[in-house]
């Protein structure tokens, strides 16, 4: 008879305590401790199981260690492969996080159904088998080697994993599975951690690549726990706006590859389509010259592409001017507006400013600043900017335009797409001499210089 032990677990950070406490010593949150029942089966230290699996435990020379890329499971999806670093690693656990309804299950089902010669076990605690069938019909793909299981009991799931020995295990989602070791509800910190440990213990010896789906809570972190991020080998985030077509896949942790790769998808009726050349989709109409739009040359991870920035500046109808932004940090927008007001003398504080980044995707690149202020100025003056110009630069508080990283790569990308001119700050112009490009590089160091170059005369 297993002995039952009680512990208290902070639901914010997962710290355990023998007694109930009002305020967590670790994260400082109040009233987050919840009693959890742990059976005496030793479930600790599971996370220390070697992620290499069967490798004999002795010290190796570097020359003795072989890196076999061919061991990876090709996902048949270029964008996913790119972010994973070449496919799933045997025994590796990947966590795919994202907001509900963004398309995680669609992406995963699409991958499962495209692995024709591989055996896939798709466990769904979210959807019934009938719902999965309907989703598969929409995607319009079939894979006779893909089997589906509608189950939430961790023990039963792992029984099937050991029986089926799939080439890929998918669990949708980690928040719906429960282990009988614990009496707490599905989705609690204790359940998520315990289930992840049980999965780890099963798939590492079998060398089964495993993909877990996890939902993100309102605060934008993976619901439940940071803990999960420590247990798994790879953490992927699926981002985007539900009302827009584009989705971005990036990794925030990758034991088997780089975290600087980025995958881009477009949501279509039949599922997610890989976007190989994002610039062509993120630029709307090349021929029309409209005020308030400018094109930013951005770099996210290893990829550079063009994205259209739209701004609308109008007189504030009411006392307090409105500021609204889609796809760009509103605090950053307010900062840029303050810089424009203080350093370039624009009376923008009495105006409404609306900003929109094409495709609704969030790009984390400070080089967007220059495109943002250019589109705001263009709308303010009601003067269109030549659509064959693009911009890349960070704007500082004193109104200076700072150089950004990977300038060469941005120039080459802009040139490849047929842009005539790129505006940016160059710290060391002699470095650019080696670039073979038709594009004219305009070095702008201050906002007033930019205004003169674009709008004077
Ligand atoms: Zn805590």
């Amino acid at each position: 008879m297993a002995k039952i032990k009680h512990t208290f677990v902070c639901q914010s950070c997962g710290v355990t305590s023998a007694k109930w406490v009002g305020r967590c010593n670790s994260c400082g949150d109040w009233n987050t401790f919840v009693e959890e029942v742990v059976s005496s089966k030793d479930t600790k230290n599971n996370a220390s199981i070697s992620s290499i699996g069967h490798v004999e435990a002795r010290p190796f020379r570097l020359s003795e260690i072989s890196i076999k890329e061919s061991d990876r499971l090709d996902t048949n999806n270029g964008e996913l492969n790119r972010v994973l670093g070449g496919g799933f690693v045997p025994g590796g656990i990947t966590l795919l996080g994202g907001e509900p309804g963004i398309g995680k299950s669609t992406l995963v089902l699409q991958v499962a159904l495209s692995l024709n010669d591989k055996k896939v076990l798709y466990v769904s605690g979210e959807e019934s088998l009938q719902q999965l069938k309907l989703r598969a019909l929409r995607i319009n793909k079939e894979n006779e080697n893909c089997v589906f299981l509608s189950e939430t009991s961790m023990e039963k799931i792992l029984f099937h994993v050991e029986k089926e020995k799939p080439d890929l295990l998918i669990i949708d989602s980690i928040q719906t599975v429960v282990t009988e070791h614990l009496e707490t509800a599905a989705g609690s910190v204790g359940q998520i951690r315990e289930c992840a440990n049980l999965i780890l213990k099963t798939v590492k010896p079998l060398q089964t690549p495993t993909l877990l789906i996890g939902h993100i809570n309102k605060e934008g972190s993976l619901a439940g726990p940071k803990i999960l991020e420590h247990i798994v080998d790879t953490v992927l985030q699926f981002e985007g706006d539900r009302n827009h077509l584009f989705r971005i896949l990036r990794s925030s942790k990758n034991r088997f590859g780089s975290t600087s790769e980025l995958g881009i998808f477009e949501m279509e009726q039949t599922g997610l389509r890989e976007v190989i050349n994002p610039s062509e989709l993120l630029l709307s109409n090349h021929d029309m010259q409209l005020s308030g739009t400018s094109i930013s040359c951005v770099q996210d991870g290893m990829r550079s592409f063009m994205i259209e920035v739209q701004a609308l500046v109008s007189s504030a109808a009411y006392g307090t001017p409105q500021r609204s932004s889609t796809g760009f940090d509103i605090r950053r927008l307010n900062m840029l507006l303050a810089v424009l007001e203080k350093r370039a003398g624009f009376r923008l504080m009495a105006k409404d400013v609306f900003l929109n980044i094409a495709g609704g995707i969030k790009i984390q690149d400070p080089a967007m600043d220059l495109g943002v202020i250019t589109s705001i100025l263009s709308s303010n003056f009601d003067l269109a900017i030549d659509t064959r110009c693009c911009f890349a630069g960070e704007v500082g508080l004193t109104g200076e335009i700072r150089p950004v990283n990977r300038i060469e790569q941005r120039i080459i990308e802009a040139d490849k797409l047929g842009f005539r001119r790129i505006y940016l700050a160059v710290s060391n112009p002699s470095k650019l001499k080696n670039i073979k490009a038709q594009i004219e590089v305009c070095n702008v160091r201050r906002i007033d210089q930019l205004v003169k170059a674009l709008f004077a005369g």
Side-chain angles (χ1 to χ4, degrees):
M1 176 76 185
K3 212 170 75 188
I4 301 293
K5 213 173 85 185
H6 294 250
T7 54
F8 293 86
V9 182
C10 170
Q11 299 291 302
S12 296
C13 69
V15 151
T16 55
S17 157
K19 281 188 301 184
W20 188 86
V21 279
R23 183 171 183 263
C24 175
N25 281 330
S26 172
C27 66
D29 283 0
W30 288 90
N31 294 326
T32 53
F33 276 82
V34 168
E35 185 180 15
E36 297 197 351
V37 182
V38 190
S39 73
S40 68
K41 281 182 198 166
D42 190 13
T43 53
K44 291 235 172 89
N45 300 328
N46 286 336
S48 63
I49 292 176
S50 160
S51 54
I52 311 164
H54 280 314
V55 176
E56 193 188 328
R58 68 169 175 92
F60 286 91
R61 286 188 187 85
L62 273 180
S63 58
E64 291 177 294
I65 306 168
S66 65
I67 301 167
K68 280 187 280 177
E69 284 296 317
S70 57
D71 284 351
R72 287 186 186 247
L73 176 70
D74 183 356
T75 65
N76 282 341
N77 186 308
E79 297 294 295
L80 180 58
N81 275 348
R82 182 206 297 271
V83 178
L84 286 170
F88 292 113
V89 171
I93 301 182
T94 304
L95 174 66
L96 174 66
E99 285 168 29
I102 198 135
K104 298 186 294 294
S105 299
T106 304
L107 175 68
V108 169
L109 185 61
Q110 227 173 308
V111 169
L113 294 178
S114 64
L115 291 170
N116 271 324
D117 50 340
K118 300 283 187 235
K119 190 168 185 180
V120 183
L121 175 58
Y122 190 114
V123 181
S124 180
E126 300 267 343
E127 291 178 305
S128 68
L129 295 175
Q130 287 72 24
Q131 283 172 305
L132 280 169
K133 170 103 184 179
L134 286 174
R135 192 190 285 274
L137 286 175
R138 270 204 305 277
I139 294 171
N140 198 15
K141 275 202 176 102
E142 264 178 66
N143 177 6
E144 277 306 307
N145 292 318
C146 184
V147 287
F148 295 90
L149 175 68
S150 179
E151 181 59 76
T152 56
S153 157
M154 203 65 242
E155 281 73 19
K156 286 180 190 159
I157 293 168
L158 294 177
F159 165 77
H160 288 288
V161 172
E162 282 175 334
K163 204 177 102 196
E164 301 274 342
K165 295 199 174 49
D167 296 310
L168 175 66
L169 169 66
I170 294 166
I171 296 182
D172 182 7
S173 68
I174 188 71
Q175 275 104 350
T176 53
V177 291
V178 281
T179 167
E180 57 199 35
H181 288 181
L182 291 175
E183 287 170 17
T184 43
S188 68
V189 174
Q191 281 289 1
I192 290 176
R193 178 175 42 194
E194 188 59 22
C195 288
N197 274 327
L198 287 171
I199 294 167
L200 186 87
K201 263 208 275 185
T202 307
V203 302
K204 289 292 176 192
L206 289 171
Q207 291 285 285
T208 311
T210 303
L211 181 60
L212 308 176
I213 293 182
H215 296 305
I216 277 179
N217 59 15
K218 284 187 209 88
E219 288 82 44
S221 62
L222 277 162
K226 279 275 163 201
I227 301 156
L228 202 52
E229 298 185 13
H230 298 303
I231 296 172
V232 302
D233 301 300
T234 305
V235 180
L236 304 183
Q237 300 268 9
F238 205 37
E239 302 169 358
D241 188 323
R242 247 205 273 188
N243 303 317
H244 284 89
L245 296 174
F246 296 102
R247 302 286 184 271
I248 285 190
L249 185 70
R250 53 176 110 236
S251 73
S252 55
K253 169 184 177 178
N254 194 348
R255 279 192 187 145
F256 311 115
S258 140
T259 53
S260 58
E261 288 291 358
L262 179 81
I264 303 174
F265 296 91
E266 187 182 7
M267 189 55 110
E268 288 186 340
Q269 206 66 34
T270 53
L272 290 148
R273 191 179 69 81
E274 300 169 40
V275 177
I276 291 151
N277 187 357
S279 300
E280 282 172 12
L281 285 165
L282 295 171
L283 297 177
S284 45
N285 202 331
H286 273 277
D287 313 324
M288 295 267 277
Q289 298 240 0
L290 297 170
S291 72
T293 68
S294 80
I295 291 154
S296 258
C297 181
V298 298
Q299 179 85 28
D300 199 324
M302 304 294 283
R303 293 176 91 165
S304 48
F305 47 89
M306 303 292 157
I307 196 162
E308 191 175 298
V309 182
Q310 298 180 335
L312 183 67
V313 178
S314 65
S315 300
Y318 306 101
T320 320
Q322 286 189 67
R323 305 278 185 253
S324 158
S325 163
T326 311
F328 191 77
D329 184 17
I330 187 84
R331 281 169 303 181
R332 186 95 197 150
L333 173 63
N334 281 326
M335 187 281 268
L336 292 175
L337 291 173
V339 170
L340 281 177
E341 169 117 18
K342 184 87 180 169
R343 306 290 174 196
F346 294 103
R347 306 289 302 156
L348 285 164
M349 283 303 165
K351 306 245 172 135
D352 289 339
V353 178
F354 305 95
L355 190 75
N356 185 24
I357 310 294
I361 56 177
K362 284 193 180 73
I363 302 290
Q364 296 148 352
D365 182 0
M368 289 279 290
D369 287 357
L370 198 58
V372 168
I373 61 165
T374 310
S375 64
I376 291 168
L377 291 172
S378 163
S379 176
N380 190 50
F381 293 135
D382 200 18
L383 285 172
I385 291 165
D386 189 345
T387 48
R388 293 164 301 178
C389 295
C390 60
F391 302 86
E394 184 183 350
V395 175
L397 289 178
T398 60
E400 86 275 20
I401 296 161
R402 293 202 207 116
V404 287
N405 62 355
R406 296 179 187 275
I407 281 181
E408 295 89 340
Q409 206 175 328
R410 293 177 203 255
I411 293 173
I412 290 165
E413 176 74 11
D415 185 54
K416 203 170 74 189
L417 290 163
F419 283 86
R420 296 276 176 83
R421 204 175 289 155
I422 182 165
Y423 289 86
L424 39 73
V426 186
S427 52
N428 188 0
S430 63
K431 268 170 74 181
L432 300 178
K433 282 193 181 128
N434 299 328
I435 300 176
K436 285 193 181 66
Q438 301 272 308
I439 194 167
E440 183 190 348
V441 178
C442 299
N443 195 2
V444 280
R445 306 300 289 267
R446 299 200 52 80
I447 288 182
D448 40 346
Q449 219 180 328
L450 175 82
V451 173
K452 223 176 267 171
L454 289 173
F455 303 110

